[in-house]
Amino acid sequence: MNLKRKIANEEKINVALLGATGMVGQVFAWMLSRHPWFRLSYLAASNDMGGMNYGKAVNWHLPVPLPRRAAELSIDPLPADWGLLEERDIRVVFSALPAEKAADVEPELRERGFFVFSNAGALRTRTEVPVLIPEVNVGSLELIRDQGFPAGGFVVCNANCSTTGLVLALSPLRRFGIREVTVSTYQSISGAGYPGLSALDIMNNVIPHIGNEEEKMIVETRKILGEAFPLFPRCVRVPVMFGHLETVWVEFTQAVSTGDVAAAWNTFESGAGALPSLPARPLLYEANVACPQPRHCFAGYPQGMPVWIGGLQAREGRIGFVLLVNNVIRGAAGGSIANAEAFVSIYGDE
Ligand SMILES: NC(=O)c1ccc[n+]([C@@H]2O[C@H](COP(=O)([O-])OP(=O)(O)OC[C@H]3O[C@@H](n4cnc5c(N)ncnc54)[C@H](OP(=O)(O)O)[C@@H]3O)[C@@H](O)[C@H]2O)c1
């Protein structure tokens, strides 16, 4: 199947979505229903809904309407009959499964020759699996050859949501020599999935620990940037629906001014070139101390894909700033879709 030729012929590429009813699955359903290259053609979740369609099965939580096309698709339980995907000419699979389930399903799909773009943490630490942010490390896609492509399938992961925002903001600052980074996150409840946290736990409260999140930030930042500077994360859950805010302090090996840093962000361009889901400017810096705020995380173009930065300051030889990443879009489904676009644009004629 030559995926590039399909696009050139204005045909769409059929894709499957696993974990379709969850928080990330809903964003996939929304983004894929209006995607210029991909056509959502198969949905699965955990429960057998007896052929019920997605519109009835899903408890829709996004601040955008549920697309009619997705609402009309029927939804299958897992384990699915993978032969059905082959019959429907589907090779590209988006996974929004919990890590425990992904650990079984994603390698199985790869063995059957599918191209899996995953949000789950299950395989991120495997050396042959890229953790991809197209603007930052598109060269790591080469690893799909170590997994068997083009004769076979592969799994490509996106980073954890907080890591994605941090890495995008740090990437253009590497030219100044990063010595050390301290980051505190203020993470929204949608990051815990649906139904996620109990209202009694999070209403009128802040939870100063998110299981394994700090370790993920350290390991994934190192894998994506290929640099081993000390990183000191503290991850906290706050009663906000969408959007993770992060306060960051960076120490550099060179003398750096706030002007140097702002210029590096303002001129940062994608290393992956133009793709339908990548913003022309991945980092939107505003010199306004009240920015960014989670309530604006569905803004931007493509919606929810840029990382917003503000609160820039210099103190005691360090640079401080605040960033905002839409955890369910840029930090999850939108990131995965951009990864699939990068794959199609680079390897789609193999
Ligand atoms: N939420 C975020 O901001 C975010 C960001 C980055 C990465 N991630 C990762 O993305 C993945 C999905 O996260 P989420 O927040 O969307 O979780 P979620 O809201 O809990 O959704 C999980 C989805 O997987 C399905 N599922 C659960 N157990 C299953 C099983 N045993 N077999 C088959 N399907 C099963 C659920 O179907 P039912 O509804 O039928 O149970 C649902 O569709 C996770 O790996 C998460 O770590 C999440």
Side-chain angles (χ1 to χ4, degrees):
M1 187 193 304
N2 187 316
L3 301 178
K4 244 183 175 162
R5 194 173 317 133
K6 275 196 169 221
I7 295 168
N9 292 341
E10 296 187 6
E11 283 175 59
K12 287 198 177 181
I13 299 165
N14 289 335
V15 301
L17 170 57
L18 313 180
T21 47
M23 272 325 309
V24 175
Q26 296 184 23
V27 180
F28 269 121
W30 170 64
M31 293 186 78
L32 290 170
S33 295
R34 56 200 204 143
H35 196 277
W37 296 357
F38 302 130
R39 181 191 297 110
L40 191 55
S41 305
Y42 179 89
L43 298 176
S46 70
N47 299 312
D48 188 349
M49 304 186 189
M52 193 189 280
N53 68 26
Y54 184 67
K56 284 230 165 68
V58 72
N59 195 342
W60 190 255
H61 277 97
L62 301 186
V64 290
L66 194 167
R68 184 146 25 109
R69 195 188 135 62
E72 286 167 359
L73 287 172
S74 65
I75 179 156
D76 277 6
L78 284 186
D81 171 4
W82 303 128
L84 262 182
L85 272 61
E86 284 149 356
E87 277 168 29
R88 294 183 198 177
D89 193 28
I90 295 172
R91 195 93 190 264
V92 173
V93 178
F94 290 104
S95 166
L97 293 171
E100 321 77 65
K101 189 68 187 167
D104 293 335
V105 171
E106 293 175 1
E108 187 187 330
L109 284 165
R110 171 172 63 188
E111 290 316 304
R112 287 197 65 140
F114 290 101
F115 307 151
V116 182
F117 295 90
S118 173
N119 281 267
L123 304 185
R124 283 188 199 136
T125 53
R126 301 278 284 267
T127 50
E128 79 285 9
V129 174
V131 178
L132 180 63
I133 300 177
E135 291 100 325
V136 177
N137 64 337
V138 74
S140 70
L141 250 182
E142 265 292 309
L143 286 172
I144 61 176
R145 298 207 187 279
D146 294 355
Q147 298 183 58
F149 178 82
F154 60 78
V155 178
V156 168
C157 292
N158 49 353
N160 154 280
C161 36
S162 345
T163 308
T164 299
L166 181 67
V167 164
L168 272 160
L170 291 180
S171 180
L173 308 185
R174 283 185 288 174
R175 73 187 70 157
F176 306 125
I178 296 174
R179 177 173 284 147
E180 186 180 301
V181 176
T182 302
V183 56
S184 304
T185 70
Y186 303 69
Q187 300 188 208
S188 62
I189 51 179
S190 58
Y194 179 76
L197 296 160
S198 143
L200 279 176
D201 288 330
I202 193 65
M203 283 274 287
N204 198 23
N205 197 18
V206 162
I207 300 173
H209 174 70
I210 303 176
N212 214 24
E213 192 82 353
E214 292 162 6
E215 292 74 13
K216 283 188 203 165
M217 286 191 84
I218 293 169
V219 171
E220 293 174 21
T221 300
R222 188 169 291 185
K223 181 165 178 173
I224 299 166
L225 293 179
E227 292 190 37
F229 53 77
L231 174 65
F232 300 100
R234 256 293 144 98
C235 296
V236 172
R237 188 77 70 197
V238 296
V240 162
M241 275 275 276
F242 296 102
H244 293 352
L245 199 84
E246 304 180 25
T247 60
V248 186
W249 284 101
V250 188
E251 190 179 341
F252 295 98
T253 56
Q254 302 172 19
V256 179
S257 70
T258 52
D260 296 332
V261 168
W265 287 328
N266 288 337
T267 53
F268 179 52
E269 285 178 2
S270 165
L275 295 173
S277 300
L278 289 187
R281 286 190 49 209
L283 301 172
L284 299 179
Y285 165 62
E286 277 200 56
N288 176 344
V289 286
C291 290
Q293 297 187 14
R295 66 179 58 177
H296 303 132
C297 76
F298 276 79
Y301 186 82
Q303 214 173 335
M305 283 298 282
V307 169
W308 290 266
I309 308 179
L312 181 59
Q313 56 178 289
R315 188 169 296 171
E316 307 278 346
R318 292 178 186 221
I319 294 288
F321 58 92
V322 183
L323 72 84
L324 171 69
V325 59
N326 184 316
N327 55 299
V328 289
I329 300 183
R330 168 53 91 153
S336 246
I337 293 171
N339 289 351
E341 293 166 1
F343 161 71
V344 171
S345 81
I346 300 170
Y347 299 96
D349 45 14
E350 289 194 32

